[in-house]
Amino acid sequence: MGFFRLEPTARSSWRLAVLMGANTRTYKFALGTALLDVAAEGRSEILLRDLAVPYAMGLVRRLGQAPQVSSNVKIGELDFLSVAEREAAKSLSLGHPTEELLAAAIQSMPRMVMKKFHNLRSEGVEVPHRFYEVTGSSRERVVRLSEHLRDIARSEQAASLLGELSARWSIVETSFAAGIGQSLILDGVAVDMTTLQITDRQQRRPVAGVTDAVLGFQHGLCLICAEPLTPGLDDIAVDHVFPYSFMKLLHPGPHGAAPDLDAIWNLAPAHRSCNSQKSNRPPTREEMTRLAQRNESIMRSPRPLRRTLELTLQRNGHAARPGVWFTFIQRVHGLL
Ligand SMILES: [Zn+2]
């Protein structure tokens, strides 16, 4: 996969697992957050029952806000999510999981989410790095955290990875919601340029920040200088790769309207200083390549971000499939 070849590191494997896997539930995001937090302390192992605490609490905190399972999935009485729903209010008031919730988490984690975390979308294919192994006896399971996990959890991009997880989690749970979920999946997302939030087209409700939603697909790097972009440390701007002022210069293509420059395909996080220096110049060849690569990665991720880019391609007369972004971006450049 191109995404991994461009940066063949444990961090790219992590992003493949979190950003590109298909989702019918959100367990993966709760597990990923708990793993990053624990590994950031430098630990090499943790009892499953201890890891289950932040995992279960992460889920019950979200349960009240949005569905954590696709409406296509039927869940039974004994399903972990049913237990979590029953035990959510009490666990939240206690500040830790109830005995019943903890027991259900310890039982379901090794069988479900921990088994699937490393999987890519195609059956039987795993990401190139492993982040943990479950060992120990059935009486007391132990989770060994790999050096790869500790490295990424303590790297300069750790804050980005947590932000990406949370944004992906919000996007996926919104796509599970009745009503707006369907429109999100069919119509893709819109961008509110005032707040720099991704919104659903129907109700214009904020779903996630543009930066958190797309930064992982550009490997956490500034689109202009290709150096790391660290939320909380760097001042970050969302760059119009083709400047917005070009809108009026763009000649309509054979398909009528000129491409919309205020849309996800043309928006990329960058250092604020790089963004101000760039000002209104057209993108360089390198910037166009990075943008095309970033968009190709999104095209290989699940909907609705992918859907948004497919619609851009379709509306401009291109086939809505991976492999087209280099051509499309060259063509936009040619319209100037
Ligand atoms: Zn930069």
Side-chain angles (χ1 to χ4, degrees):
M1 169 173 288
F3 181 82
F4 187 78
R5 242 180 289 125
L6 283 169
E7 197 203 292
T9 61
R11 197 156 47 208
S12 294
S13 285
W14 178 269
R15 285 182 164 129
L16 283 177
V18 168
L19 301 175
M20 311 239 189
N23 309 284
T24 51
R25 294 163 182 264
T26 60
Y27 296 170
K28 186 199 288 183
F29 308 118
L31 177 63
T33 309
L35 285 171
L36 282 182
D37 285 342
V38 169
E41 298 163 7
R43 303 178 64 158
S44 57
E45 58 178 44
I46 181 169
L47 294 178
L48 178 63
R49 61 175 57 252
D50 292 337
L51 185 64
V53 172
Y55 169 79
M57 289 309 286
L59 272 167
V60 293
R61 267 185 223 109
R62 292 263 186 164
L63 258 181
Q65 324 292 318
Q68 301 298 313
V69 60
S70 158
S71 54
N72 299 327
V73 176
K74 290 252 176 300
I75 62 168
E77 271 290 280
L78 298 175
D79 193 290
F80 175 64
L81 222 45
S82 304
V83 180
E85 262 162 28
R86 285 198 297 273
E87 301 296 310
K90 197 163 171 210
S91 300
L92 287 172
S93 75
L94 287 170
H96 59 81
T98 61
E99 279 303 315
E100 199 192 334
L101 178 59
L102 189 64
I106 294 168
Q107 222 219 349
S108 78
M109 287 169 78
R111 284 190 293 116
M112 297 199 44
V113 64
M114 300 197 79
K115 216 172 185 174
K116 293 184 180 165
F117 188 84
H118 297 99
N119 288 3
L120 276 173
R121 249 188 301 174
S122 31
E123 218 34 61
V125 182
E126 297 202 331
V127 300
H129 297 80
R130 287 198 75 81
F131 299 109
Y132 58 82
E133 298 294 340
V134 182
T135 61
S137 68
S138 55
R139 194 172 306 161
E140 187 72 289
R141 297 221 180 269
V142 176
V143 182
R144 291 234 167 84
L145 308 174
S146 75
E147 212 172 309
H148 297 309
L149 178 64
R150 287 199 296 284
D151 285 349
I152 62 167
R154 290 183 294 174
S155 73
E156 57 180 2
Q157 285 201 35
S160 302
L161 296 177
L162 282 168
E164 290 161 23
L165 255 173
S166 172
R168 187 81 216 156
W169 195 339
S170 301
I171 291 171
V172 169
E173 67 189 9
T174 309
S175 76
F176 291 161
I180 50 170
Q182 196 58 15
S183 100
L184 208 62
I185 286 171
L186 291 176
D187 310 331
V189 301
V191 177
D192 180 334
M193 289 308 299
T194 324
T195 58
L196 293 177
Q197 292 280 313
I198 281 178
T199 65
D200 70 280
R201 288 181 188 279
Q202 228 173 41
Q203 302 175 9
R204 298 264 156 189
R205 285 202 321 193
V207 176
V210 173
T211 296
D212 285 334
V214 304
L215 187 56
F217 295 104
Q218 53 192 68
H219 296 276
L221 305 177
C222 169
L223 194 101
I224 300 171
C225 72
E227 293 292 325
L229 204 55
T230 313
L233 208 66
D234 292 319
D235 204 355
I236 298 178
V238 172
D239 183 48
H240 282 83
V241 180
F242 288 92
Y244 189 67
S245 58
F246 284 18
M247 264 311 238
K248 51 185 181 298
L249 305 178
L250 284 179
H251 306 290
H255 296 275
D260 183 5
L261 297 183
D262 239 356
I264 286 284
W265 77 269
N266 187 46
L267 297 172
H271 294 108
R272 188 169 296 282
S273 52
C274 292
N275 178 245
S276 335
Q277 271 172 32
K278 178 177 169 243
S279 184
N280 274 343
R281 69 161 168 75
T284 63
R285 179 181 292 272
E286 290 76 21
E287 287 158 7
M288 289 195 292
T289 302
R290 286 196 280 272
L291 180 66
Q293 283 164 344
R294 197 275 317 258
N295 289 350
E296 288 296 339
S297 299
I298 295 177
M299 290 290 282
R300 288 180 164 82
S301 75
R303 296 174 295 180
L305 283 186
R306 183 187 78 207
R307 179 66 183 152
T308 313
L309 294 194
E310 287 171 353
L311 289 171
T312 297
L313 291 175
Q314 266 171 19
R315 287 190 186 121
N316 291 282
H318 288 264
R321 56 176 167 75
V324 175
W325 279 99
F326 291 90
T327 318
F328 177 71
I329 284 167
Q330 284 294 338
R331 217 203 76 214
V332 176
H333 195 254
L335 293 175
L336 290 173

